Amino acid sequence: MLNFESLEIAVSPTEKFREYLATKGMRLTQERELIVAEVFSSHEHFDADQLVERMKLQKTGRRVSRSTVYRTLGWLEDAGLLRKVARTNDRDVFEHDYGYPQHDHFICKSCGELFEFQNDDIAEILEKLADEINFRMNEHRLEVYGICDECSRPPQRRHKKLDLI
Amino acid sequence: MLNFESLEIAVSPTEKFREYLATKGMRLTQERELIVAEVFSSHEHFDADQLVERMKLQKTGRRVSRSTVYRTLGWLEDAGLLRKVARTNDRDVFEHDYGYPQHDHFICKSCGELFEFQNDDIAEILEKLADEINFRMNEHRLEVYGICDECSRPPQRRHKKLDLI
DNA sequence: GTTATTGCAAACCATTTGCAAGTGT
DNA sequence: ACACTTGCAAATGGTTTGCAATAAC
């Protein structure tokens, strides 16, 4: 029996989304396809508003409304293509959750920058702890707050993205 | 030289809040005192709305407005007495962050229940990782999602608090 | 043709804020 | 008198939703 699990990256995000939509009797419309394309054109974290802006910049004549962006983000999350990673400036921040390894974030309280890191030991510890209370662990979100290298340096040019993000 | 760090639990939450307020030229009013008392009367997690309700139930004639509750929550957070632990049903969820050991949570996606756990190894691993990128770590938030023991049992009576919280 | 989808504008809702009246010193 | 606070009502701002027009099959 073939192990399709290991093949998942072989399917493009768009294709995976089409499959998800199919299970809901929904269609992969032009708008949805444009959104998936834009979302997966970069690995950067983003929020709904930023995505709306990026959609406006697309050369395609097709305009995508804010409502459609919001609705589609929800489905992309359901489909396992995106996940919310944090909340910055009162906005949900998304990142790719497909074809992208599990990881967590250091978040600079000064500039708001996110730094990804990956560590298997933590997941292992969690498995063990979950087991003790018979908790069926699915996933986790780990945000580590502090001050990043750049921001902890003497007064000089530094990040200042807190209200830009 | 005395180590005051280790004495912090000796000061009551109210007293600590008074000290914080003093540094800001602010007063510990009756309203604020009632709120701190209510907040620290139980170790349960809560959101602003729940606290507003609890304030209404207090036998004191003194009524505390929603605005005051919100404002005070912010200062309690600043003062290090409370911290936001999660977001449930679009609301910020708070818990004690004073005289209470660092811990994290298992969150049941079925019933919404939070289960606390405590593990030093994780913090240790984080310290090491933070060090590698020269990140000055202050604190972290770890939420582990999954299904709790009770909810993973066969169809029977079970938690159903998702929209009650 | 029928059913899903879009964009718009309005609704929602937790949280914040302006401000006049109130309170403590 | 003075400076900080409160409660109210209104504003904010991200996100959601109702609905008539539109597009996909």
Side-chain angles (χ1 to χ4, degrees):
Chain A
M1 181 178 163
L2 287 175
N3 176 8
F4 287 93
E5 285 288 282
S6 62
L7 291 175
E8 63 174 346
I9 314 289
V11 183
S12 76
T14 303
E15 205 43 52
K16 186 163 186 211
F17 193 37
R18 187 203 304 283
E19 288 165 10
Y20 165 82
L21 291 170
T23 71
K24 302 274 183 183
M26 295 167 71
R27 301 159 183 166
L28 179 63
T29 62
Q30 287 190 57
E31 286 83 353
R32 290 173 190 170
E33 194 159 358
L34 287 174
I35 290 173
V36 181
E38 185 59 51
V39 161
F40 282 86
S41 69
S42 148
H43 266 313
E44 293 295 309
H45 300 95
F46 65 94
D47 60 42
D49 194 61
Q50 292 173 322
L51 181 54
V52 167
E53 290 310 311
R54 282 166 59 190
M55 293 309 297
K56 285 184 187 161
L57 299 178
Q58 280 196 159
K59 41 284 156 191
T60 358
R62 200 80 168 196
R63 276 296 139 92
V64 180
S65 75
R66 178 169 292 268
S67 314
T68 297
V69 167
Y70 270 103
R71 283 190 276 241
T72 305
L73 280 174
W75 293 316
L76 285 172
E77 211 187 335
D78 268 8
L81 290 170
L82 286 183
R83 68 170 188 150
K84 285 186 186 142
V85 264
R87 204 152 218 270
T88 311
N89 291 104
D90 283 321
R91 296 176 185 170
D92 287 325
V93 176
F94 297 85
E95 71 172 9
H96 299 177
D97 187 26
Y98 178 65
Y100 209 58
Q102 152 77 42
H103 61 274
D104 298 296
H105 302 89
F106 283 111
I107 303 180
C108 179
K109 290 201 276 195
S110 171
C111 66
E113 191 87 28
L114 297 179
F115 302 87
E116 298 183 357
F117 68 89
Q118 201 283 324
N119 181 284
D120 296 324
D121 299 341
I122 291 174
E124 204 172 296
I125 292 172
L126 292 178
E127 291 281 8
K128 201 174 297 176
L129 291 169
D131 229 47
E132 288 172 15
I133 63 167
N134 218 27
F135 186 89
R136 296 191 182 189
M137 168 175 140
N138 291 134
E139 62 202 356
H140 71 261
R141 177 197 291 196
L142 172 54
E143 298 164 9
V144 187
Y145 298 93
I147 306 296
C148 75
D149 183 35
E150 190 161 351
C151 288
S152 64
R153 295 195 173 159
Q156 271 190 322
R157 244 174 268 104
R158 61 178 61 172
H159 298 174
K160 256 301 176 42
K161 296 212 271 181
L162 256 195
D163 29 35
L164 297 178
I165 285 190
Chain B
M1 182 176 162
L2 286 177
N3 176 7
F4 286 94
E5 286 288 279
S6 61
L7 291 176
E8 64 174 344
I9 314 289
V11 185
S12 76
T14 302
E15 207 43 52
K16 187 165 185 209
F17 193 38
R18 186 203 304 283
E19 288 165 12
Y20 166 82
L21 291 171
T23 70
K24 301 274 183 183
M26 295 167 70
R27 302 162 183 164
L28 178 63
T29 63
Q30 286 190 57
E31 287 83 352
R32 290 173 188 168
E33 194 160 357
L34 286 174
I35 291 173
V36 180
E38 184 59 52
V39 161
F40 282 87
S41 70
S42 148
H43 267 313
E44 294 294 310
H45 299 94
F46 65 93
D47 59 41
D49 194 60
Q50 292 172 322
L51 181 55
V52 168
E53 290 309 311
R54 282 167 58 190
M55 293 308 297
K56 285 185 188 161
L57 299 178
Q58 280 196 158
K59 41 283 159 191
T60 357
R62 201 80 169 195
R63 277 295 139 92
V64 180
S65 74
R66 177 170 294 268
S67 313
T68 298
V69 168
Y70 270 104
R71 283 189 276 240
T72 306
L73 280 175
W75 293 316
L76 286 173
E77 211 186 336
D78 268 8
L81 291 170
L82 287 183
R83 67 169 189 150
K84 285 188 186 141
V85 264
R87 201 148 222 274
T88 312
N89 293 104
D90 283 322
R91 295 176 187 171
D92 287 326
V93 176
F94 297 85
E95 71 173 8
H96 299 178
D97 187 25
Y98 178 64
Y100 209 57
Q102 151 77 43
H103 61 273
D104 298 295
H105 302 89
F106 284 111
I107 302 179
C108 180
K109 289 202 276 195
S110 172
C111 66
E113 191 86 29
L114 297 180
F115 302 88
E116 297 184 356
F117 68 90
Q118 201 284 323
N119 182 284
D120 297 324
D121 299 341
I122 291 174
E124 203 172 298
I125 292 173
L126 292 178
E127 291 281 8
K128 200 173 299 177
L129 292 169
D131 228 48
E132 287 172 15
I133 62 167
N134 217 27
F135 186 89
R136 295 190 182 188
M137 170 174 139
N138 292 134
E139 62 201 358
H140 71 261
R141 177 196 292 194
L142 173 53
E143 298 164 9
V144 187
Y145 298 94
I147 306 297
C148 75
D149 182 37
E150 189 161 351
C151 288
S152 64
R153 294 196 172 156
Q156 270 190 319
R157 245 176 266 107
R158 62 178 61 172
H159 299 173
K160 255 299 178 42
K161 296 214 271 181
L162 254 194
D163 29 34
L164 296 179
I165 285 192

Coordinates of all heavy atoms in Angstrom, one line a residue, chain B residues 26-27 29 32 63 65 68, chain D residues 3-9:
Chain B
M26 N -0.5 57.3 39.9 CA -1.9 57.0 39.9 C -2.3 56.4 41.3 O -1.5 56.1 42.1 CB -2.2 55.9 38.9 CG -1.9 56.4 37.5 SD -1.8 55.0 36.2 CE -3.5 54.5 36.2
R27 N -3.6 56.4 41.5 CA -4.2 56.0 42.9 C -4.8 54.6 42.9 O -5.3 54.2 41.9 CB -5.2 57.0 43.3 CG -4.7 58.5 43.4 CD -5.8 59.5 43.4 NE -5.3 60.8 43.4 CZ -6.0 61.9 43.1 NH1 -7.3 61.7 42.8 NH2 -5.5 63.1 43.1
T29 N -7.8 53.3 43.7 CA -9.1 53.7 44.0 C -9.9 52.5 44.5 O -9.5 51.3 44.4 CB -9.8 54.3 42.8 OG1 -9.9 53.2 41.8 CG2 -9.1 55.4 42.3
R32 N -10.5 50.0 41.7 CA -9.4 49.2 41.3 C -9.1 48.2 42.4 O -8.8 47.0 42.0 CB -8.2 50.1 41.2 CG -8.3 51.0 39.9 CD -7.2 52.1 39.8 NE -7.5 53.0 38.7 CZ -6.9 54.1 38.5 NH1 -5.9 54.5 39.3 NH2 -7.2 54.9 37.4
R63 N -20.6 49.9 42.1 CA -20.6 49.3 40.8 C -19.4 49.7 40.0 O -18.9 50.8 40.1 CB -21.9 49.8 40.0 CG -23.1 49.0 40.3 CD -23.0 47.6 39.8 NE -23.5 46.6 40.8 CZ -24.7 46.1 40.8 NH1 -25.6 46.5 39.9 NH2 -25.1 45.2 41.7
S65 N -17.8 50.0 36.2 CA -18.1 50.0 34.8 C -17.2 49.2 34.0 O -16.0 48.9 34.4 CB -18.1 51.4 34.3 OG -16.8 51.8 34.1
T68 N -13.9 50.8 33.2 CA -12.9 50.7 34.3 C -12.3 49.3 34.4 O -11.1 49.2 34.6 CB -13.6 51.1 35.6 OG1 -14.0 52.4 35.5 CG2 -12.6 50.9 36.8
Chain D
dA3 P -2.9 70.5 38.8 OP1 -1.5 70.7 38.6 OP2 -3.9 70.9 37.9 O5' -3.1 68.9 39.0 C5' -2.6 68.3 40.2 C4' -3.0 66.8 40.2 O4' -4.4 66.7 40.6 C3' -2.9 66.2 38.8 O3' -2.4 64.9 38.8 C2' -4.3 66.3 38.2 C1' -5.1 66.1 39.5 N9 -6.5 66.7 39.5 C8 -6.9 67.7 38.7 N7 -8.2 68.0 38.9 C5 -8.6 67.1 39.8 C6 -9.8 66.9 40.4 N6 -10.9 67.6 40.1 N1 -9.9 65.9 41.4 C2 -8.8 65.2 41.6 N3 -7.6 65.3 41.1 C4 -7.5 66.3 40.2
dC4 P -2.4 64.0 37.5 OP1 -1.1 63.4 37.4 OP2 -3.0 64.7 36.4 O5' -3.4 62.9 38.0 C5' -3.2 62.3 39.3 C4' -4.5 61.5 39.7 O4' -5.6 62.4 39.7 C3' -4.8 60.4 38.6 O3' -5.2 59.3 39.4 C2' -5.9 61.0 37.8 C1' -6.6 61.7 38.9 N1 -7.5 62.8 38.4 C2 -8.8 62.9 38.8 O2 -9.2 62.0 39.7 N3 -9.7 63.8 38.4 C4 -9.2 64.7 37.5 N4 -10.1 65.7 37.1 C5 -7.9 64.7 37.0 C6 -7.1 63.7 37.5
dT5 P -5.5 57.9 38.6 OP1 -4.7 56.8 39.2 OP2 -5.4 58.1 37.2 O5' -7.0 57.6 39.0 C5' -7.9 58.6 39.0 C4' -9.3 58.0 39.4 O4' -10.2 59.0 39.1 C3' -9.7 56.8 38.4 O3' -10.5 55.9 39.2 C2' -10.4 57.5 37.3 C1' -11.0 58.7 37.9 N1 -10.9 60.0 37.1 C2 -12.1 60.7 36.9 O2 -13.1 60.4 37.5 N3 -12.0 61.8 36.1 C4 -10.8 62.2 35.5 O4 -10.8 63.2 34.8 C5 -9.6 61.4 35.7 C7 -8.4 61.8 35.0 C6 -9.7 60.3 36.5
dT6 P -11.1 54.6 38.4 OP1 -11.2 53.5 39.4 OP2 -10.3 54.4 37.1 O5' -12.5 55.1 38.0 C5' -13.4 55.5 39.1 C4' -14.7 56.0 38.5 O4' -14.4 57.2 37.8 C3' -15.3 55.0 37.5 O3' -16.6 54.5 38.0 C2' -15.5 55.8 36.2 C1' -15.2 57.2 36.6 N1 -14.4 58.0 35.7 C2 -14.9 59.2 35.1 O2 -16.0 59.6 35.4 N3 -14.1 59.8 34.3 C4 -12.8 59.4 33.9 O4 -12.2 60.1 33.1 C5 -12.4 58.2 34.4 C7 -11.0 57.7 34.1 C6 -13.2 57.6 35.3
dG7 P -17.3 53.3 37.4 OP1 -18.0 52.6 38.4 OP2 -16.3 52.6 36.5 O5' -18.3 54.0 36.4 C5' -19.2 54.9 37.0 C4' -20.0 55.5 35.8 O4' -19.2 56.4 35.1 C3' -20.6 54.5 34.8 O3' -21.9 54.9 34.5 C2' -19.7 54.6 33.6 C1' -19.2 56.1 33.7 N9 -17.8 56.3 33.2 C8 -16.8 55.4 33.3 N7 -15.7 55.9 32.8 C5 -16.0 57.1 32.3 C6 -15.3 58.1 31.6 O6 -14.1 58.1 31.3 N1 -16.0 59.2 31.2 C2 -17.3 59.4 31.5 N2 -17.9 60.5 31.1 N3 -18.1 58.5 32.2 C4 -17.4 57.4 32.5
dC8 P -22.9 54.0 33.9 OP1 -24.2 54.0 34.6 OP2 -22.3 52.7 33.5 O5' -23.2 54.8 32.5 C5' -23.5 56.2 32.5 C4' -23.2 56.8 31.2 O4' -21.8 57.0 31.1 C3' -23.6 55.9 30.0 O3' -24.7 56.6 29.4 C2' -22.4 55.9 29.1 C1' -21.4 56.9 29.7 N1 -20.0 56.5 29.6 C2 -19.1 57.4 29.1 O2 -19.5 58.5 28.8 N3 -17.8 57.1 29.0 C4 -17.4 55.9 29.4 N4 -16.1 55.6 29.3 C5 -18.3 54.9 29.9 C6 -19.6 55.3 30.0
dA9 P -25.5 55.8 28.2 OP1 -26.9 55.8 28.5 OP2 -24.8 54.5 27.8 O5' -25.2 56.8 27.0 C5' -24.4 58.0 27.2 C4' -23.6 58.3 26.0 O4' -22.2 57.9 26.1 C3' -24.1 57.7 24.7 O3' -23.9 58.6 23.6 C2' -23.3 56.4 24.6 C1' -21.9 56.9 25.1 N9 -21.0 55.9 25.6 C8 -21.4 54.7 26.2 N7 -20.3 54.0 26.6 C5 -19.2 54.8 26.2 C6 -17.9 54.6 26.3 N6 -17.3 53.5 26.9 N1 -17.0 55.6 25.9 C2 -17.6 56.6 25.3 N3 -18.9 57.0 25.2 C4 -19.7 56.0 25.6

